[in-house]
Amino acid sequence: MFDAVMILSPDQYHAEHARKAFAAGLHVFLEKPACLTESEFRLLNEDFERTDCVGMVGYMRCYAPAFQKARALLPEFGPIRHVRIRDVICEGP
């Protein structure tokens, strides 16, 4: 028996798999993007709202140093709901 699932499938299956997981009473960690269309998201959100489950869309860049620094430098703008950062990710030192 499990309590939660991580959905790491190809993007086009995220909404379908997450909806099935919520229907089964499972907590969901969903890799981004949660859905590919607004209508898919609407259905997913309706299923989520009917449960007592936790749902989280993972986006690792929110822990990136550039994002963290921007968050720390911009408190005077109030709550930040969306930030777009262009970033070149390299594996070097």
Side-chain angles (χ1 to χ4, degrees):
M1 171 95 170
F2 353 169
D3 297 319
V5 294
M6 295 180 74
I7 298 176
L8 311 171
S9 56
D11 296 353
Q12 67 267 29
Y13 300 114
H14 285 184
E16 174 188 350
H17 294 166
R19 292 180 70 208
K20 287 180 179 179
F22 287 136
L26 298 170
H27 302 292
V28 174
F29 175 89
L30 179 59
E31 192 53 72
K32 69 165 182 65
C35 301
L36 297 180
T37 67
E38 187 175 337
S39 59
E40 279 183 333
F41 183 77
R42 199 173 308 114
L43 293 171
L44 175 60
N45 192 56
E46 288 170 5
D47 287 351
F48 168 71
E49 293 291 336
R50 282 192 281 268
T51 73
D52 289 330
C53 297
V54 173
M56 177 183 175
V57 178
Y59 185 60
M60 55 77 173
R61 298 310 288 165
C62 65
Y63 300 105
F67 184 86
Q68 294 292 325
K69 185 168 184 166
R71 182 185 289 166
L73 292 172
L74 301 173
E76 64 271 12
F77 289 102
I80 297 173
R81 295 180 48 125
H82 177 81
V83 173
R84 181 176 292 185
I85 299 173
R86 289 196 74 154
D87 185 358
V88 175
I89 300 171
C90 69
E91 299 301 321

